[in-house]
Amino acid sequence: MAEKVLVVDDSREIRAFLADYILKPKGYEIVMAENGLEGLEMVLAEKPDLMIVDNQMPKMGGIQLLRVLRERNIGLPAILTTAFGSEETAVEAFRLGVRDYVIKPFDVEEIETSVERALRESRLEHERDQLMDQLMQTNSQLERQVQELNTIYSIGKSVSSSLDLQQVLHRVVEAAVYITKAEEGFLMLTDEEQGELYIRASKNLDQETQSMRLRIQDSLAGQVIATNRPVVLTDDEHWKKIKTSYLVKSLIYIPLASQDQPIGVLGVVNRLKATQFERRDTRVLTMLSDYAALAIRNAHLFAQSDTERNKLGTILGQTNDPVLVIGEESELVLANQAARLALQLPEGNLVGRPLAELIQGEDTLELLSQPAGKNFSRRGEITVNDGRIFNVNMTLIEGVGRSVVMRDITQLKELDRLKSEFVSVVSHDLRSPLTSILGYIELLQRAGSLNDTQKEFVGRVRSSVTSITSLITDLLDLGRIEAGLDLSLSRCSLAEIMLEIIEQQQLSIQNKGLNLELNFPEQDLTVIGDRNRLHQAFSNLISNAIKYTPTGGKIGVRVHGHDGQMILQVSDTGVGISPADQPYIFDKFYRAETVTEKFEGTGLGLSIVKSVVERHDGRIWVTSEPGKGTIFTVVLPTAVAPPASSTETRPSASTPTKNN
Ligand code: ADP
């Protein structure tokens, strides 16, 4: 569109000159006025882009006109022409914002340049103003979006941090109303049983509407649920009926879905105002409805896990066996009622308290403070204050710590004691008649000559009596060791004992063609213990290794000190022990089924070894693979200082046993 120039001059010639020679050829549109007053009217009516105004005119001169325009805040670019140029007028003119000041008579080129420059400047200004406007608009839009995002962010945060569903849903509806500038808002959920929708949270709804229920079948909200698509109604002319008593002018309904299952509708409505909703509103509301659905799902999940936890709590509470969960820092995570009673834990909430503060017995604390291993559970026995004995089984719970299940074995222990007592009494009473049988067998041979058959029979009787005697000796020994009787302690060199045993069994080793490998370091390998019992125990280990290793196999004995402990290992390349048998081989009379036919034995050897080792505050365990071989490892405390007297008798008090 052509730019419009207003020429205000009382001289017709000048007006014609400017119009015909200067402005028209350049294609500008021209409007004219004869004096300032007329000029003012034209400015208001025509809104020109530029004004060329003469200073000296009747009624109202150029400067005067410029002043009036300035007062009225009309910023029209102007060129002032004057016949008598004075410095004062020039200063005043520029103060009033004229673009140029031209003295008459002016030549064509001068006025042309001046007009063009003024228009160019004003074009630039115009563009700048437009840009400014745009910028302001964008700015305010951005501000609004930031505000919306903030609102949505804070809702997101409350969804993930708050467990109060009512509060979260209320915030969602509040935000929906705030962002869309709607009058009212609500969140409806489906009641599947009734086939209805009810209001779960709302903003600005009156009491009556809050309790409104809609049929899913034939309501607009039901339709939104069925199609899983938003609905926007913004025709302000007509009322829309949500319910007979509830008419609105415009509304947005957004479906609410949890895991693709429709569960309700988020709605905002205007009942009075004829405001239109914007397209953006739907998008923001969709985000909010997603949050609401998430909050509802979270609440369901939480309620579910809460129920499960309560169930588990009830089960644990009613379990008679004490159960504990201990954290990685040896702090209490959980203790059922039975555990509280057994360990006499204080009343109140103990979660997070260190075990050291809660557990009374030193042995119990030591056992419970040990970490459980990855592939094995740690076992042990503890005696609690009321005298009951518990078997403790600790299992690793990755990321949590360890679970501890305790089983009352007081009665079993008592039975075991009675059994040992019985065995020891009976075996003692058996030994005397056996001794006299052996004696008479000797005498029989001296009493007169026997024929070959008689000699053979006597030989068989002697061998049977000898094996019964050794069985009974073992039983008696076991009884004495278990009772802790007759332990005679002194400093003993393990290397010495081992060499002695090997010396004694050299013949059997040679007979079977076994390869023997000894590994003793230079250092002093002493422990404080009963030399005879240690000899007996290690001798049992070595004779087992010989017995259970086929001809041509290998046997190893290794002794070394480590970290204040003596470690002794007897290994062989024999038949091995199946994992199913391993837990029981230290029990009295237990023999692996696979060996009973091929090898002679009583099943007492390892029970004696274990008892002796435990009497010396040591531990023993086995690692074995069937068909490949077996390693027995014994750990004993190293002798620190010579005992007060070279021989002393251990008290018979039972110490807690520790197994792996
Ligand atoms: P036994 O008189 O049967 O040898 P032990 O108490 O010494 O009784 O051993 C118990 C069981 O452990 C044995 O019957 C055998 O099954 C197993 N056992 C012990 N030592 C070994 C070994 N070195 N190799 C294989 N099996 C062994």
Side-chain angles (χ1 to χ4, degrees), residues 635-656:
V635 177
L636 293 171
T638 310
V640 186
S645 64
S646 63
T647 304
E648 59 184 53
T649 304
R650 284 248 163 166
S652 64
S654 74
T655 50

Side-chain angles (χ1 to χ4, degrees), residues 540-541 544-549 572 574-577 581 584-587 589-596 599-609 624 629-630 632:
N540 283 356
L541 288 181
N544 271 355
I546 298 170
K547 178 162 64 171
Y548 294 111
T549 306
D572 63 57
V575 295
I577 305 163
D581 286 320
Y584 306 108
I585 53 170
F586 297 101
D587 291 353
F589 301 112
Y590 189 88
R591 307 198 66 213
E593 231 172 80
T594 43
V595 306
T596 43
F599 305 92
E600 288 209 344
T602 58
L604 281 178
L606 288 181
S607 316
I608 292 178
V609 179
S624 179
T630 306
F632 282 95

Side-chain angles (χ1 to χ4, degrees), residues 324 332 343 345-346 354-366 368:
L324 301 165
L332 190 74
L343 299 172
L345 300 180
L355 281 192
E357 275 179 21
L358 303 174
I359 306 285
Q360 294 170 5
E362 236 173 72
D363 292 331
T364 311
L365 180 61
E366 195 196 324
L368 297 184

